[in-house]
Amino acid sequence: MKRIIFFLFSVCVLYAEEQNIAMSNMPQEITQTDVVMQNAISDASDKEIASQNINDFFDGFASEYDIEYGIDKNEKTFYNGKAVVALDDTDPNFAKALNLAFDEALIDMQASFVRDMYGKQSTSVVQKFFSDDSSNAREFEKLPPEGKLSQLLNKVTTLVGAKLDQYLEEMSINTQGLSEERKKVLLADSLVQKIHINALGNMRGLVPVQTAMLKNSNGKYEVGVIAVVSPKTKQIAEDIRLKRASLVSGKGKDINQFLPKNSKDYLNELGIRLVYDANGMPVIMSYGQWSYLKGEDSYTNSRKQQNAEQTAIARADSAISAFVNSSITFKQDQELSKDIETSITQRIAHNDTEEQENSARNIIDRTTREAKLSSQIALKGIRTIKRWNALDDNGIEYVGAVRAYSYNFVKNADKIIVPVQKTQAGNGQNAKSGGVDVSKKSTVVNSMDDF
């Protein structure tokens, strides 16, 4: 009887596993509401930011989409990060500093994500107290009696010191002569708190949905980044990594319609965006930008511009790579302490003795933080859909490129790199292939349908 029950139980378990596998392979048709929201927050074609500062920008986004940062809602969790731009907007290298600040804001947000998901914290607190309220607390111990040789050496030292002081004073150099100091602590009160946080984890599917650059109260520009992660974005990241068609789909529009309307609007876009194209397929759009300093020579300027374009493309690809799969390590060490001390110092110079009371009140606040991200991706399926250049209001030259990943691009790449296989028709003649053999008939003009 027990064997029969065990057999029936095993059959039920196997059936449940098969059902789970079947469910995981079913197309994940997302609701049109999700598509509209995702496309709206990623649409750069008509977007204005009216916030006064980065915190207002964060709060305004949260209010508009009814979300709370770091809290799951409808299987979506939003995060934010910010960083200060190191240079002023009048500096020729401001564009480069701006892009590096974006990287800093992004890794700040990513590190927060990994810290919250995988972090471990250890804390130690040490408190010490010492007080000498004795009746002879302000009295120093007597120095040990000196032998004749020590006394002779002291007199020689005193004589040399006096002569040296005299020579220095003749050269208009102030001196206090040779002296010896002794210190006696009367009260010491300290508290030391050390906090250590470390985290290590793999992250994928974190999508920056909006960025902003605004001035803070100190007059410096800050870069703010808002990103979202959900089971669907993780699934899309995994599909990109494996170069397969995504099961996540929804109705969207042509990806070119998401691009800004004029070149200057590209200055506002940094990092990746997740959108859905006209075929309902998810597309990762990545905005990369860089800058270069113009000189007198036109050839040199052209070469600098080309190099800046390649840098922008590489940065855009790196953003897609970080979305697909990245490993992050995070470390933070803090020391927060107070150090209170009351002491007396005795200074002996020649035959004079002077005592002075000292009081120190110190608050220690030291922080060391390190975040490291590494990622890797195969570039097949990524294409450049837009190159642009623009001047900001201060005349700084920007160069940029928009790179996009789509499974359609993967299929296109496969058609290019897969060798053409010749097939035999049933009558023994060669069947027509998709291309025309122009090596034999050079007079034939190919049409686009041939390729």
Side-chain angles (χ1 to χ4, degrees):
M1 185 66 181
K2 292 182 179 180
R3 291 183 179 180
I4 296 175
I5 295 174
F6 178 76
F7 174 75
L8 293 175
F9 176 77
S10 300
V11 171
C12 292
V13 171
L14 290 174
Y15 177 78
E17 290 180 353
E18 290 179 357
Q19 291 298 313
N20 289 334
I21 293 173
M23 291 295 293
S24 64
N25 290 328
M26 291 178 64
Q28 300 181 33
E29 180 73 27
I30 66 176
T31 66
Q32 193 58 30
T33 301
D34 287 339
V35 175
V36 171
M37 177 182 177
Q38 185 64 59
N39 283 347
I41 60 181
S42 299
D43 195 340
S45 61
D46 186 15
K47 185 183 297 179
E48 292 184 2
I49 298 174
S51 305
Q52 297 300 315
N53 55 52
I54 291 298
N55 290 332
D56 290 340
F57 165 65
F58 292 153
D59 294 341
F61 183 93
S63 176
E64 180 179 358
Y65 294 101
D66 191 25
I67 57 98
E68 292 184 59
Y69 296 105
I71 297 178
D72 179 275
K73 184 175 182 180
N74 298 326
E75 293 191 328
K76 298 181 182 69
T77 307
F78 288 83
Y79 290 85
N80 62 55
K82 64 180 179 178
V84 180
V85 183
L87 303 179
D88 294 329
D89 54 0
T90 55
D91 193 290
N93 285 307
F94 175 77
K96 296 179 180 179
L98 169 62
N99 278 267
L100 294 176
F102 169 76
D103 293 342
E104 187 177 355
L106 191 61
I107 198 170
D108 173 62
M109 177 182 59
Q110 293 166 328
S112 298
F113 172 82
V114 172
R115 179 187 59 200
D116 291 347
M117 297 299 106
Y118 308 104
K120 296 181 180 180
Q121 176 177 308
S122 60
T123 303
S124 66
V125 179
V126 178
Q127 193 272 338
K128 293 182 179 180
F129 179 80
F130 169 80
S131 176
D132 187 353
D133 199 22
S134 308
S135 58
N136 63 345
R138 293 179 173 272
E139 298 178 6
F140 286 86
E141 296 181 359
K142 293 183 179 180
L143 295 173
E146 299 175 333
K148 291 184 178 180
L149 180 59
S150 298
Q151 295 178 23
L152 180 60
L153 290 175
N154 286 337
K155 290 183 178 181
V156 171
T157 302
T158 302
L159 177 62
V160 172
K163 289 292 184 181
L164 180 60
D165 291 345
Q166 180 182 349
Y167 293 147
L168 293 175
E169 289 175 359
E170 291 176 357
M171 298 173 63
S172 301
I173 299 176
N174 294 328
T175 179
Q176 297 180 350
L178 299 176
S179 63
E180 180 181 354
E181 288 187 357
R182 291 195 295 170
K183 177 182 177 181
K184 188 174 185 179
V185 177
L186 302 178
L187 183 143
D189 186 7
S190 67
L191 177 71
V192 180
Q193 181 186 45
K194 292 184 178 181
I195 304 173
H196 175 72
I197 302 174
N198 70 290
L200 170 63
N202 292 322
M203 184 192 69
R204 71 177 188 272
L206 186 65
V207 184
V209 295
Q210 200 165 1
T211 58
M213 182 187 71
L214 300 164
K215 282 189 176 181
N216 60 19
S217 58
N218 297 319
K220 299 292 290 185
Y221 279 104
E222 283 184 316
V223 175
V225 184
I226 300 173
V228 64
V229 64
S230 71
K232 293 183 179 65
T233 63
K234 291 180 180 180
Q235 181 63 53
I236 293 171
E238 182 67 7
D239 294 335
I240 294 175
R241 186 181 71 86
L242 298 176
K243 304 300 179 187
R244 68 187 180 190
S246 180
L247 299 177
V248 181
S249 61
K251 296 179 181 179
K253 61 182 182 180
D254 187 87
I255 59 175
N256 289 314
Q257 296 181 19
F258 291 99
L259 298 175
K261 293 181 178 179
N262 59 72
S263 295
K264 200 169 183 178
D265 290 338
Y266 282 92
L267 301 178
N268 303 326
E269 302 300 325
L270 294 167
I272 68 170
R273 303 289 185 270
L274 168 62
V275 300
Y276 293 88
D277 65 13
N279 297 321
M281 299 178 63
V283 176
I284 300 297
M285 299 175 62
S286 184
Y287 294 84
Q289 60 176 245
W290 201 240
S291 180
Y292 68 98
L293 300 179
K294 279 190 172 181
E296 299 277 335
D297 185 72
S298 58
Y299 174 79
T300 302
N301 290 337
S302 298
R303 294 295 290 158
K304 285 183 177 180
Q305 181 177 359
Q306 289 180 351
N307 185 64
E309 287 179 356
Q310 293 301 315
T311 302
I313 290 173
R315 288 176 57 79
D317 291 345
S318 296
I320 298 177
S321 177
F323 163 76
V324 171
N325 191 24
S326 56
S327 175
I328 296 181
T329 58
F330 175 81
K331 296 179 182 179
Q332 178 174 295
D333 289 290
Q334 289 181 285
E335 180 181 341
L336 311 173
S337 63
K338 73 170 184 178
D339 187 7
I340 299 175
E341 182 181 273
T342 300
S343 63
I344 55 175
T345 302
Q346 184 184 74
R347 180 180 292 107
I348 303 173
H350 302 298
N351 295 323
D352 298 329
T353 301
E354 178 184 354
E355 292 184 0
Q356 181 179 358
E357 183 173 322
N358 304 299
S359 181
R361 303 288 188 271
N362 294 315
I363 299 297
I364 309 301
D365 185 355
R366 297 190 181 100
T367 302
T368 302
R369 184 181 297 111
E370 177 183 325
K372 180 181 179 181
L373 181 147
S374 59
S375 62
Q376 186 175 355
I377 188 176
L379 296 178
K380 186 173 71 171
I382 302 177
R383 295 290 182 269
T384 300
I385 62 174
K386 179 68 176 179
R387 297 174 189 262
W388 59 271
N389 61 284
L391 293 174
D392 68 4
D393 294 336
N394 294 310
I396 297 176
E397 186 80 27
Y398 285 74
V399 174
V402 182
R403 300 273 281 174
Y405 171 89
S406 171
Y407 183 66
N408 283 334
F409 296 157
V410 175
K411 292 191 296 183
N412 181 263
D414 289 338
K415 291 179 181 179
I416 296 173
I417 63 178
V418 173
V420 177
Q421 300 293 331
K422 291 186 177 180
T423 60
Q424 297 292 328
N427 57 5
Q429 296 179 350
N430 290 338
K432 289 185 178 180
S433 62
V436 177
D437 190 352
V438 297
S439 63
K440 294 182 180 180
K441 298 180 181 180
S442 60
T443 57
V444 174
V445 177
N446 296 323
S447 67
M448 292 302 298
D449 293 335
D450 292 331
F451 302 101

